[in-house]
Amino acid sequence: MKAGEKRKEEETIELEGPLGKSDAVNRELVSLERELSTLRKNGSIDHFGLYLYGLVLKEKGSENLARTVLVESVNIYPWNWNAWSELQSLCTTLDKLNSLNLSNNHWMRDFFLASAYQELRMHNESLMKYEFLQGIFSFSTYIQAQIAKAQYSLREFEQVEVIFEELLRNDPYRIEDMDMYSNVLYAKECFSALSYLAHRVILTDKYRPESCCIIGNYYSLKGQHEKSVLYFRRALKLNKKYLSAWTLMGHEYVEMKNTPAAVDAYRRAVDINPCDYRAWYGLGQAYEMMGMPFYALHYFRKSVFLQPNDSRLWIAMAQCYETEQLHMLDEAIKCYRRAANCNDREAIAVHQLAKLHSELGRLEEAAFYYKKDLERMEVEEREGPNMVEALLFLATYCKSQKKFEEAEVYCTRLLDYTGPEKETAKSLLRGMRIAESGFPSMDAEHFPQ
């Protein structure tokens, strides 16, 4: 098996195409399958032999039989994590996972299910499993890291940061999973913390893919995208199947407006893991930049299918529907609604829903969303053009609905601004007072010609 894999690796390097693909195969698989199949039928194969047979069947594409054989292996000997990992890679749907005939209730089964739930994007179920296991293995840094990973997928960045800080206190030389911590620090724009982490991993082991990724994130946050790409490439020299490096390098190429290189990087990422929603989202962004919204929409749909609780993906898809080429505003509204229900922290979706309903003449719905947007801005104590837009619309709408008291409240708030909105508010207030007094309007169009 190993000799065949070595020859396959050599052929892959020689025959590798522009996208890193080759048709090289392990030529020992046929004879290995024949031999191991005979041993299994005769009942003279042990759990490690079954594991090897499962690997061979997986490589040959016989996934159903491979699952059956790997289940036999872990049922006999549950401590072989490699067998569990290979079995997990074959459980691409919940139905396949539930169909496994796992006869033992060993704690390794719980580790397997927690990891499988994570891959199937069942993050809450995965979190529950790991928290249960933490009760048994209370000092396990692996379980701590996996809990952080589940929280990261649920976008609970504050909790993730706390877990990783504790991990580093308990294991100061840890590099494994620290690239995920760097992603959190990047998202929160914590320059000093990310700088400290980058220096720390350089001193520990600078020739680890994770270390290169952390340094790449540091330079990206500083806006030095060329240097960032250099470190992501270094990570890929150390491990060419390192998924994060391909995806993050794609993001850097997008920042550098090098869309062909970005597309190449994202495609390499989805070849390694077709369930990586970030790479599909990146492909959508790249094609949107190239002015190809139909292609972009295809990739955004894939990313949303894989991560339906991420508001950013729904917003990206909605914006794609809004483009001039598509102009499918009702579909955009559906996407923004989904985004609003997915904890849209920046409140982009609610504001866009208000604008689109107003544009389509659905004034009642527009007023509803402008009110929601206004309430949120008040809670967060935010000012700006969105606040002015909401107040102007609500003042005009309430006046048209004869809700003069409510309209007056909005107009009074607009008087605090210095732009043209102040004059509009004064005009609205004059109009309401005339309407309330019963006198005819003094506008020029009401005079006889």
Side-chain angles (χ1 to χ4, degrees):
M1 179 75 174
K2 281 194 171 182
E5 283 299 305
K6 187 172 183 293
R7 280 197 296 275
K8 176 187 168 184
E9 188 72 23
E10 288 167 354
E11 286 178 23
T12 299
I13 294 165
E14 291 169 10
L15 304 172
E16 198 169 65
L19 291 177
K21 296 179 181 177
S22 82
D23 298 323
V25 293
N26 185 340
R27 294 175 188 172
E28 303 296 329
L29 293 179
V30 176
S31 58
L32 276 168
E33 184 187 12
R34 194 183 306 120
E35 186 181 342
L36 291 166
S37 176
T38 304
L39 288 170
R40 180 170 173 256
K41 283 174 185 172
N42 296 338
S44 54
I45 192 170
D46 67 359
H47 46 273
F48 288 117
L50 286 166
Y51 163 60
L52 182 60
Y53 186 28
L55 279 180
V56 170
L57 290 166
K58 182 190 167 189
E59 283 290 312
K60 289 201 73 188
S62 305
E63 292 190 359
N64 289 334
L65 184 54
R67 271 195 297 273
T68 304
V69 170
L70 287 167
V71 165
E72 289 174 19
S73 175
V74 297
N75 280 343
I76 298 166
Y77 185 80
W79 293 275
N80 183 3
W81 180 247
N82 285 340
W84 288 110
S85 297
E86 293 297 335
L87 183 58
Q88 180 190 306
S89 69
L90 293 167
C91 297
T92 50
T93 65
L94 184 60
D95 289 339
K96 287 177 182 176
L97 181 65
N98 291 335
S99 69
L100 299 179
N101 186 23
L102 298 168
S103 59
N104 62 60
N105 286 319
H106 198 275
W107 45 262
M108 283 292 280
R109 181 174 180 266
D110 291 313
F111 274 104
F112 163 72
L113 288 172
S115 183
Y117 288 148
Q118 183 82 309
E119 285 300 309
L120 292 170
R121 301 167 302 284
M122 298 166 64
H123 304 302
N124 288 311
E125 291 82 352
S126 174
L127 193 58
M128 285 172 65
K129 277 285 178 192
Y130 280 124
E131 285 171 348
F132 163 74
L133 285 163
Q134 197 172 36
I136 303 168
F137 305 97
S138 51
F139 298 106
S140 169
T141 54
Y142 168 80
I143 294 173
Q144 261 189 301
Q146 295 309 305
I147 288 172
K149 190 176 179 182
Q151 297 278 20
Y152 177 78
S153 300
L154 293 166
R155 299 187 63 74
E156 300 291 346
F157 291 157
E158 298 295 335
Q159 293 178 37
V160 175
E161 194 174 359
V162 170
I163 293 169
F164 274 117
E165 283 171 0
E166 189 183 342
L167 265 175
L168 282 173
R169 279 196 299 272
N170 297 334
D171 185 3
Y173 298 103
R174 185 184 183 91
I175 290 178
E176 192 180 359
D177 304 309
M178 286 298 125
D179 53 335
M180 190 196 305
Y181 182 34
S182 78
N183 290 341
V184 173
L185 296 175
Y186 181 93
K188 293 182 72 180
E189 297 186 2
C190 299
F191 283 92
S192 56
L194 187 51
S195 173
Y196 175 70
L197 181 64
H199 282 95
R200 194 169 183 159
V201 295
I202 285 171
L203 293 172
T204 305
D205 186 352
K206 64 181 178 181
Y207 295 112
R208 284 276 295 271
E210 294 94 334
S211 300
C212 296
C213 238
I214 291 164
I215 299 163
N217 269 339
Y218 168 69
Y219 281 117
S220 177
L221 194 56
K222 286 183 74 179
Q224 297 180 23
H225 302 297
E226 291 84 358
K227 217 165 185 179
S228 179
V229 166
L230 185 71
Y231 277 95
F232 291 135
R233 284 197 175 280
R234 192 173 291 179
L236 291 164
K237 280 183 181 176
L238 295 164
N239 179 5
K240 69 178 181 180
K241 290 194 173 181
Y242 188 42
L243 182 65
S244 290
W246 284 116
T247 306
L248 293 170
M249 190 163 72
H251 294 344
E252 293 310 300
Y253 281 129
V254 166
E255 290 293 329
M256 293 160 67
K257 305 291 188 286
N258 187 348
T259 46
V263 167
D264 181 30
Y266 290 134
R267 288 199 185 281
R268 293 288 288 269
V270 296
D271 283 342
I272 294 165
N273 183 4
C275 294
D276 181 22
Y277 77 92
R278 295 171 305 165
W280 291 116
Y281 172 65
L283 279 168
Q285 277 189 311
Y287 278 102
E288 194 171 34
M289 282 173 65
M290 290 190 281
M292 302 167 76
F294 287 98
Y295 283 95
L297 190 60
H298 169 73
Y299 294 118
F300 285 141
R301 278 176 178 159
K302 278 185 173 287
S303 69
V304 155
F305 173 76
L306 293 167
Q307 189 77 356
N309 296 320
D310 194 326
S311 61
R312 297 168 305 162
L313 309 184
W314 288 107
I315 288 167
M317 196 154 80
Q319 288 169 345
C320 206
Y321 278 122
E322 283 186 271
T323 56
E324 284 183 22
Q325 293 100 312
L326 296 177
H327 202 68
M328 298 166 69
L329 299 187
D330 283 319
E331 293 301 318
I333 285 170
K334 288 176 189 174
C335 293
Y336 281 129
R337 277 183 186 149
R338 288 295 298 266
N341 293 330
C342 293
N343 191 20
D344 173 26
R345 295 178 183 185
E346 294 173 12
I348 295 169
V350 173
H351 182 71
Q352 288 301 116
L353 280 167
K355 284 184 78 170
L356 285 175
H357 280 300
S358 175
E359 192 179 320
L360 293 167
R362 300 167 187 168
L363 302 183
E364 191 177 342
E365 290 92 335
F368 171 77
Y369 286 111
Y370 271 124
K371 276 184 185 175
K372 281 187 76 172
D373 197 25
L374 190 61
E375 285 165 11
R376 181 157 183 165
M377 285 186 279
E378 287 167 351
V379 169
E380 294 173 1
E381 297 181 350
R382 283 194 289 125
E383 294 284 337
N386 287 4
M387 174 80 82
V388 173
E389 187 183 324
L391 289 169
L392 270 174
F393 177 88
L394 290 168
T396 309
Y397 174 75
C398 290
K399 183 195 169 193
S400 69
Q401 298 295 308
K402 310 291 186 205
K403 297 177 181 176
F404 295 137
E405 284 184 20
E406 195 176 341
E408 196 170 331
V409 171
Y410 296 127
C411 287
T412 306
R413 288 178 65 179
L414 283 167
L415 294 175
D416 294 333
Y417 293 90
T418 55
E421 58 273 7
K422 184 175 182 177
E423 295 305 315
T424 307
K426 284 180 180 177
S427 175
L428 287 168
L429 284 167
R430 278 196 300 271
M432 284 187 287
R433 280 166 193 156
I434 289 165
E436 284 177 318
S437 66
F439 287 108
S441 173
M442 298 299 288
D443 292 342
E445 61 264 24
H446 290 280
F447 287 96
Q449 300 295 322

